[in-house]
Amino acid sequence: MLKAKNAASGSPTRRRVLIAGAGIGLTTVTACARDAEPPEDARGPGFHGLRQAGVTTPRQATVLLLSYDLDPGLRGAAGARALKAVFGAWTDALARTTGSDASRAARLTATVGIGPGLPARLGLRAPAALRDLPPFPGDRLDPAGSGGDVLVQLCADSTDSTEATGETLTRLAGDALHARWRQDGFLPPASDGGAPRDLLGFRDGPAGLTPEECERWVWSGNATCLVVRRVHLRIEDFARLAEHRQEEIVGRRRSTGGPLDGGPGSVAAGSVAAGSAGAGLPSGTARDAHGAPVRSHARAVDPALDGGARMLRRAYSYADSPTDQGLLFLAFMRDPALFARVQRRMAAQDELSGFMEARGSAVAHVLPGARPGRPLGADLLG
């Protein structure tokens, strides 16, 4: 089982990463969110609400992902009853925990989803968009650190909050759910007060989704899908490149996160304008409308190539050891097929892919929120 190192601010591993990453970093895979919690009448008090928190919630400083498998002896109606009992206990515990003064101060959120294989084992109809991701070129996935029947995302500004909550959920799962893997992540602090930088040194997120875009591209009713990818980065190799070469590969300015043509950082990459010369690029270099080379990361993930479809990112960095550091990619969307299309383009044309290697992967259907008298999973399990 994959067991990640603690990413608390005082850990030796994280101190090394922050020192090493002060002048280098990684790009985003799609625009991150400008989101806020839904209004009180939609969220409800504390943990209860039509939709779960932790999706459009502004990113907290740390994340802890927990993956569980349903006990192999539990199938069909018996498995559904066992899982219903666990979700009921989790709902009660999370309502108490997230409502405490300490958890509110830490901005603790908990988000629960189910994996693609679970509905069939319980004899239930799977949500239409819930399916395993296909294999992608360049992946080197650890089966013990991928997948799972139940996935929990815990986010807070304190690792004490996420760790304590994770221990409570695992204890309440009893014999019905067995821990499969866990992974923690963190946001490197922004020394200049701007957007956080990833471990390659680039601003994490040039653009955001409006509430209207979230309704169109992220939410399906009160549910959504979560794609998780643990992406190892070749940080030292990327750091050896000249800054202008790093910018060509990423497709954005390292100093500002803005487009290579000098436009504002909030402008998303536009349509392709092949054959024209980009600002700061060799004459004749094919680029898109904002100066990104056609083999750049920004070009490969351009929403214009998917009819404007977007995913909402809440990415973090991770540091499992001095030799294994990278991106903990978390993205919410209506259908993971969007991620699959983007990932295939990245494998085919994105030069940044040469510095990245996916080692963990999971997909989950994020359940509708809990309401008084209707715990998590009520819509699925009855």
Side-chain angles (χ1 to χ4, degrees), residues 89 186 225 279 282 346 351:
F186 59 92
C225 286
M346 288 176 58
E351 286 192 288

Side-chain angles (χ1 to χ4, degrees), residues 270-288:
S271 58
V272 176
S276 57
L281 301 178
S283 178
T285 299
R287 65 179 179 96
D288 71 9

